[in-house]
């Protein structure tokens, strides 16, 4: 009897699963297919081909894929390789509290590229991928000017507090915060434009808004009260670095594929004014597959006329971690991080660190997230090229997720208190 097992069948989205098949004819080719619907009913799918061993078994922890969407040993490859039937979509969870993603796994004998509607798989499993652990609480934040969602782990705490921001698409994105709360952080998913009654487009960045968010977070009795961490990607990483430089509430900062300067929109904080380096629209590149690359639309921060736009990270209260995909096609993230580290070294700031990931692109999401090479974003006529290669990018997601959590716990909680939590 042919069997298919997935362990665990119900898990958090950042957890690995183990996939095994048995009862096959020895040395026989099979196809494993995965598919999932997003919350708008759009299908993402992947497939890989395997050859059973002499005992008729396939174990994705050891058996290499011979082809399909990837090859070689890749235990989570079917999840990593999920790609949209309708092109240029990024698979993200909107309603993190209400439902999981249901990932369907199907087993077929021989090579099956596109199974017919009447073609019944030999075995199937449905895997639940949740973005929130049992007991995590979500609190809508609409306090003063601040808009977002606070995720609190179960229990009394106090927990290390995180402000979590995404990039230039705006809106409120919650899936990283809900997973961070599932791992023991009080995480505030913070919107800063294009959400609720916030401005519809990103104008000048007032650091007072982000300081207000930090104070709200620190005012929660379940949050450790002497400082927060800030995590940002893309434009959110630029803002995260600014908060590290100027806000006394910020103890530790993670910048994922961002810049070391103010770009485009000016930044203000009280009497402080930092001009944004103008964008170079004529630097837009269109790739061979018709996708936009923006990395050359950012003015070079090394030019003398841009000195006033460089973040003075030597003023940061706490350590800073730059996470960089070296194949980022959206930002020249490697140069920005190295420039930031060089400045820190010149000023004697020893707690700035860079994690470089070769062949990884811009969208470094939590583990288990599918690789997104390109997707549509608002206001652009063509899809955006994010960069990277599937296996290297998704392996980087696993590593930087662990490293980020360790960094934040150590530097918010402290080594002595961390051992007691």
């Amino acid at each position: 009897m042919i069997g298919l097992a997935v362990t665990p069948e119900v898990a958090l989205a950042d957890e690995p699963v183990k996939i095994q098949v048995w009862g096959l004819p020895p040395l026989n080719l099979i196809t494993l297919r995965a598919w999932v619907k997003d919350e708008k009913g759009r299908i993402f799918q992947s497939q890989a081909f395997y050859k059973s061993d002499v005992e008729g078994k396939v174990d994705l922890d050891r058996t290499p894929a011979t082809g399909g969407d990837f090859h070689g040993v890749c235990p989570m490859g079917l999840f990593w390789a999920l790609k949209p039937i309708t092109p240029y979509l990024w698979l993200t969870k909107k309603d993190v509290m209400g439902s999981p993603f249901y990932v369907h796994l199907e087993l077929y004998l021989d090579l099956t590229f596109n199974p017919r509607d009447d073609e019944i798989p030999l075995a199937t499993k449905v895997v639940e991928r949740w973005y929130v652990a049992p007991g995590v609480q979500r609190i809508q934040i609409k306090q003063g000017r601040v808009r977002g969602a606070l995720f609190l782990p179960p229990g009394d705490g106090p927990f290390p507090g995180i402000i979590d921001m995404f990039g230039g698409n705006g809106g409120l994105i919650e899936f990283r915060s809900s997973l961070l709360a599932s791992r023991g952080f009080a995480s505030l998913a913070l919107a800063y434009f294009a959400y609720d009654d916030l401005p519809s487009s990103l104008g000048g960045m007032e650091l007072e808004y982000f300081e207000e968010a930090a104070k709200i977070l620190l005012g929660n009795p379940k949050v450790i009260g002497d400082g927060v961490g800030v995590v940002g990607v893309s434009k959110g990483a630029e803002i995260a670095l600014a908060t590290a430089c100027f806000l006394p509430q910020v103890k530790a900062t993670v910048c994922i594929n961002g810049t070391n300067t103010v770009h485009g929109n000016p930044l203000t904080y009280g009497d402080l004014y930092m001009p944004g380096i103008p964008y170079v629209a004529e630097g837009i590149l269109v790739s061979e597959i018709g996708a936009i690359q923006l990395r050359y639309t950012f003015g070079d921060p090394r030019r003398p006329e841009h000195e006033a736009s460089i973040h003075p990270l030597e003023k940061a209260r706490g350590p800073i971690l730059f996470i960089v995909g070296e194949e980022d096609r959206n930002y020249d993230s490697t140069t920005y991080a190295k420039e930031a580290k060089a400045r820190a070294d010149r000023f004697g700031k020893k707690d700035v660190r860079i994690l470089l990931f070769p062949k990884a692109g811009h969208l470094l999401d939590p583990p288990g997230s599918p690789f997104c090479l390109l997707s549509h974003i608002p206001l652009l006529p063509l899809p955006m090229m994010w960069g990277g290669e599937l296996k290297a990018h998704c392996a980087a997601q696993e590593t930087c997720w662990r490293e980020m959590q360790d960094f934040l716990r150590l530097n918010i909680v402290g080594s002595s208190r961390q051992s007691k939590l």
Side-chain angles (χ1 to χ4, degrees):
M1 180 177 177
I2 293 175
L4 169 65
V6 183
T7 311
E9 292 186 22
V10 180
L12 286 173
D14 63 352
E15 294 181 30
V17 299
K18 185 178 182 66
I19 301 174
Q20 296 172 302
V21 184
W22 64 90
L24 297 165
L27 306 178
N28 197 93
L29 286 172
I30 64 167
T31 298
L32 284 173
R33 179 174 180 258
W35 63 271
V36 63
K37 288 183 179 180
D38 71 5
E39 288 154 308
K40 293 184 177 180
R42 300 171 299 193
I43 294 177
F44 293 69
Q45 63 182 3
S46 63
Q47 62 183 357
F49 312 131
Y50 294 90
K51 180 176 285 188
S52 61
D53 64 15
V54 293
E55 296 180 344
K57 297 178 181 178
V58 169
D59 183 341
L60 268 61
D61 282 353
R62 298 191 299 270
T63 309
T66 61
D69 290 322
F70 53 90
H71 62 86
V73 176
C74 193
M76 289 293 292
L78 289 167
F79 295 83
W80 292 357
L82 287 166
K83 55 188 180 297
I85 291 178
T86 302
Y88 315 137
L89 300 176
W90 177 32
L91 183 62
T92 57
K93 194 75 174 73
K94 308 296 184 187
D95 178 14
V96 297
M97 300 296 291
S99 64
F101 276 139
Y102 295 98
V103 181
H104 298 251
L105 295 176
E106 299 175 345
L107 166 65
Y108 299 87
L109 274 184
D110 303 317
L111 300 185
T112 302
F113 287 93
N114 292 297
R116 303 183 309 273
D117 291 341
D118 62 349
E119 191 171 357
I120 299 174
L122 295 173
T124 63
K125 288 290 180 181
V126 179
V127 183
E128 295 184 18
R129 304 289 283 172
W130 285 89
Y131 284 80
V132 62
V136 168
Q137 182 182 9
R138 180 189 184 275
I139 302 170
Q140 189 75 34
I141 299 297
K142 190 170 185 177
Q143 187 172 336
R145 293 190 300 166
V146 176
R147 303 291 180 264
L150 173 60
F151 292 87
L152 293 173
D156 295 330
F159 306 106
I162 305 294
I163 293 174
D164 178 32
M165 295 179 289
F166 280 78
N169 284 342
L172 180 62
I173 300 176
E174 303 180 17
F175 66 86
R176 189 167 61 204
S177 277
S178 62
L179 284 172
L180 284 170
S182 302
R183 299 304 179 193
F185 295 91
S187 186
L188 172 58
L190 183 64
Y192 52 97
F193 76 101
Y195 176 74
D196 196 57
D197 57 355
L198 294 173
S200 59
S201 59
L202 182 60
M205 295 174 290
E206 299 178 6
L207 276 188
E208 286 86 354
Y209 177 83
F210 304 95
E211 185 168 40
E212 187 178 345
K215 290 178 178 177
I216 291 170
L217 183 57
L218 289 170
N220 190 291
K222 290 190 175 184
V223 176
I224 295 171
D226 61 346
V228 302
V230 182
V231 176
V233 62
S234 196
K235 190 68 174 182
E238 176 187 321
I239 297 171
L241 188 56
T243 67
C245 296
F246 299 110
L247 300 188
Q249 298 87 359
V250 177
K251 290 184 69 176
T253 310
V254 179
C255 300
I256 305 170
N257 286 328
T259 72
N260 64 319
T261 64
V262 181
H263 272 284
N265 316 95
L267 181 144
T268 59
Y269 181 52
D271 295 332
L272 172 73
Y273 178 88
M274 293 181 68
I277 299 175
Y279 295 118
V280 185
E282 62 269 28
I284 291 176
L285 288 181
V286 179
S287 74
E288 62 277 5
I289 59 173
I292 286 177
Q293 302 177 57
L294 292 183
R295 64 180 292 163
Y296 300 109
T297 65
F298 296 91
D300 189 341
R302 294 166 292 191
R303 295 177 66 90
E305 63 266 29
H306 297 324
E307 185 174 353
S309 301
I310 298 174
H311 286 304
L313 74 171
E314 67 277 1
K315 295 182 179 180
R317 168 188 176 187
I320 301 168
L321 175 63
F322 289 92
I323 294 176
V324 175
E326 291 193 276
E327 293 299 318
D328 185 353
R329 298 286 190 93
N330 192 36
Y331 283 25
D332 187 2
S333 302
T334 303
T335 295
Y336 299 138
K338 289 181 176 179
E339 282 293 303
K341 181 66 166 64
R343 181 182 179 105
D345 291 344
R346 288 197 303 272
F347 282 89
K349 183 171 175 59
K350 304 297 185 183
D351 54 0
V352 174
R353 179 182 168 206
I354 303 174
L355 284 177
L356 291 172
F357 293 98
K359 299 182 181 180
H362 187 73
L363 295 179
L364 286 167
D365 292 328
S369 300
F371 171 57
C372 182
L373 178 65
L374 67 169
S375 67
H376 277 304
I377 67 170
L379 304 179
L380 287 181
L382 297 172
M384 174 73 75
M385 172 68 75
W386 303 114
E389 297 180 11
L390 186 147
K391 291 175 72 172
H393 182 96
C394 292
Q397 291 184 154
E398 295 191 352
T399 301
C400 69
W401 186 242
R402 294 192 302 268
E403 292 275 355
M404 180 176 74
Q405 291 182 68
D406 290 345
F407 171 84
L408 292 168
R409 284 196 184 92
L410 175 63
N411 293 294
I412 300 172
V413 180
S415 56
S416 59
R417 290 186 63 191
Q418 182 179 357
S419 62
K420 299 177 184 178
L421 292 180

